[in-house]
Amino acid sequence: MNNTYLVVMAGGIGSRFWPFSRTQHPKQFHDVLGVGRSMLQLTVDRFRGICPPENVFVVTNRDYVNLVQSHLPDLPADQILGEPIGRNTAPCVAYASYRIAQRDPKATIIVSPADHAVLREEEFRRLIREAITAARQHDVLITLGIQPSRPDTGYGYIQYMDGAENRLEGNNLHKVKTFTEKPNSELARMFLESGDFLWNAGLFIWQAESILRAFHNLLSDVAEVFDEGADKLGTPDEAAFIDEAYARCRNISIDYGIMEKADNVYVLPADIGWSDLGTWDSLHRVGQRDTQNNVIDGDVMLYDTQDCIIKTPLERLVVVQGLEGYIVAEHDNVLLICQRSEEQRVKDFVADVKSKKGGGYH
């Protein structure tokens, strides 16, 4: 157990969840599910018993380091890795992996986003343990694949190969054939009907040496940057080196840079009540619904209202009459009222607010 490490990626803004998720206070620091714990806290809780607290690392933007400390007060400051600028997930994974490998070359690393929901936690932990065992025994890059329940165009898809010859011995890990980023609705329907596609959960398990080898083979420019300063990690020179490293790294995801190109990628199918909680609609799907299919978080009185998601401050009484299929979301100084079917426009609203209203609203 002591060779198992957790890396939580907690640097994103989550603008599709506006006005709840804002630049100064992104969704991973909110109690999105209304359970009294933030998404970041729930993520770390989920790995209790799998990874010891001293092996938990959180990678975030330097602007959010204090937020991370306030949400995880027991996490030592040197286990919070601050990124000077956002460079997508490949440099983030490289930073954490090099840092952990310096401390423990035999480490097995789990990489998890900070803002996903998992409703079936015991099954999740069972699968993670299965993946850790396989990662320790083989030079493989493992990703968790979610059994799709609908032809969703908002997720990436993983196609796997069936048959005993395409499985790792003694477990349910399947060799990955292809990754497809966010397909159109027709393609998504075909994927669902074929039965050999899974949603890409963006959660990975591998040995430190396996992922570093993959960086050298497939993202050598990123590996070169971190190789040069690996000896500075964990020392007082780390922050200055990371400033320089991130300035030199290109903006690229771990999926595109490594997972789509590597020939030793395996997927573990998972049915764990998962959602990336990337949109208001995803919260409606996982939230507690009333008899009229409304998901409510706040002091709300409803009349003739159905299929809505309403999330408002507890100190404000909200009365809603006659709405069907709407998002009503208030946070801080912004109130959003938007049809659920039009929620993809939230990013446009944020862009307009930024250009027309200036700071303070995004």
Side-chain angles (χ1 to χ4, degrees):
M1 182 161 126
N2 290 342
N3 286 109
T4 304
Y5 291 75
L6 172 64
V7 174
V8 180
M9 299 185 290
I13 293 168
S15 59
R16 288 180 298 169
F17 223 61
W18 183 85
F20 200 58
S21 187
R22 311 278 271 275
T23 304
Q24 294 306 311
H25 204 93
K27 68 171 176 174
Q28 57 267 32
F29 302 108
H30 286 279
D31 175 15
V32 175
L33 296 174
V35 294
R37 300 284 281 166
S38 69
M39 299 309 295
L40 174 61
Q41 290 168 328
L42 288 173
T43 301
V44 174
D45 292 349
R46 204 173 292 141
F47 290 93
R48 199 166 283 148
I50 289 174
C51 174
E54 64 270 19
N55 291 2
V56 174
F57 286 80
V58 176
V59 189
T60 191
N61 189 289
R62 279 187 193 157
D63 292 344
Y64 304 147
V65 165
N66 289 340
L67 269 174
V68 172
Q69 285 175 323
S70 68
H71 282 247
L72 301 172
D74 296 333
L75 190 70
D78 75 336
Q79 289 169 227
I80 304 172
L81 309 184
E83 298 181 293
I85 46 177
R87 278 287 187 259
N88 214 319
T89 52
C92 164
V93 170
Y95 180 10
S97 301
Y98 270 84
R99 173 71 183 273
I100 290 167
Q102 282 288 99
R103 174 171 146 181
D104 182 358
K106 294 294 177 196
T108 301
I109 301 172
I110 308 159
V111 179
S112 172
D115 52 3
H116 291 186
V118 171
L119 303 182
R120 300 181 61 204
E121 294 210 334
E122 280 310 310
E123 174 66 359
F124 172 81
R125 282 189 271 268
R126 185 188 73 76
L127 290 166
I128 292 295
R129 288 192 176 99
E130 183 177 338
I132 289 168
T133 300
R136 287 199 174 127
Q137 292 170 350
H138 305 275
D139 175 20
V140 290
L141 308 177
I142 298 170
T143 183
L144 220 58
I146 306 301
Q147 297 285 1
S149 56
R150 61 191 179 276
D152 199 304
T153 58
Y155 296 143
Y157 285 72
I158 300 166
Q159 184 181 23
Y160 64 89
M161 295 186 273
D162 218 342
E165 71 281 6
N166 293 308
R167 288 195 193 186
L168 282 184
E169 199 177 333
N171 54 52
N172 196 34
L173 283 149
H174 301 255
K175 193 163 179 60
V176 169
K177 188 175 181 182
T178 58
F179 281 80
T180 306
E181 264 310 296
K182 298 177 183 172
N184 60 37
S185 54
E186 191 183 340
L187 207 51
R189 267 195 302 276
M190 285 170 55
F191 288 172
L192 191 65
E193 287 163 10
S194 80
D196 58 356
F197 282 82
L198 302 165
W199 286 335
N200 182 5
L203 194 147
F204 310 108
I205 305 98
W206 42 50
Q207 291 178 61
E209 58 187 356
S210 295
I211 190 62
L212 294 191
R213 189 177 302 116
F215 270 104
H216 283 105
N217 293 339
L218 301 166
L219 275 180
S220 56
D221 54 327
V222 175
E224 195 176 304
V225 168
F226 282 92
D227 283 344
E228 282 177 27
D231 59 335
K232 295 183 174 70
L233 297 175
T235 77
D237 297 327
E238 180 172 328
F241 162 65
I242 289 300
D243 282 345
E244 180 197 333
Y246 270 67
R248 290 171 58 195
C249 280
R250 58 186 158 132
N251 188 317
I252 187 168
S253 72
I254 194 77
D255 298 78
Y256 184 72
I258 288 181
M259 301 304 282
E260 292 182 19
K261 298 179 173 69
D263 60 6
N264 61 336
V265 178
Y266 283 78
V267 65
L268 183 58
D271 183 4
I272 52 173
W274 173 89
S275 171
D276 74 343
L277 287 181
T279 61
W280 285 107
D281 210 49
S282 63
L283 181 55
H284 187 270
R285 277 195 292 271
V286 301
Q288 286 287 106
R289 297 178 209 157
D290 66 12
T291 55
Q292 299 302 306
N293 204 35
N294 300 299
V295 173
I296 308 299
D297 184 1
D299 189 2
V300 181
M301 295 173 69
L302 297 182
Y303 302 87
D304 316 316
T305 291
Q306 58 192 40
D307 301 323
C308 289
I309 179 158
I310 300 171
K311 194 167 177 66
T312 52
L314 278 171
E315 64 271 14
R316 188 187 305 286
L317 173 64
V318 177
V319 181
V320 177
Q321 186 277 328
L323 285 188
E324 182 177 347
Y326 268 80
I327 301 160
V328 179
E330 182 184 2
H331 183 70
D332 197 9
N333 55 357
V334 176
L335 168 65
L336 170 73
I337 303 171
C338 169
Q339 288 177 308
R340 276 178 58 204
S341 60
E342 295 290 313
E343 74 160 357
Q344 71 277 8
R345 294 178 63 187
V346 169
K347 278 198 163 185
D348 300 335
F349 303 156
V350 175
D352 283 349
V353 164
K354 208 180 269 193
S355 64
K356 292 174 182 169
K357 297 289 182 183
Y361 296 100
H362 60 85

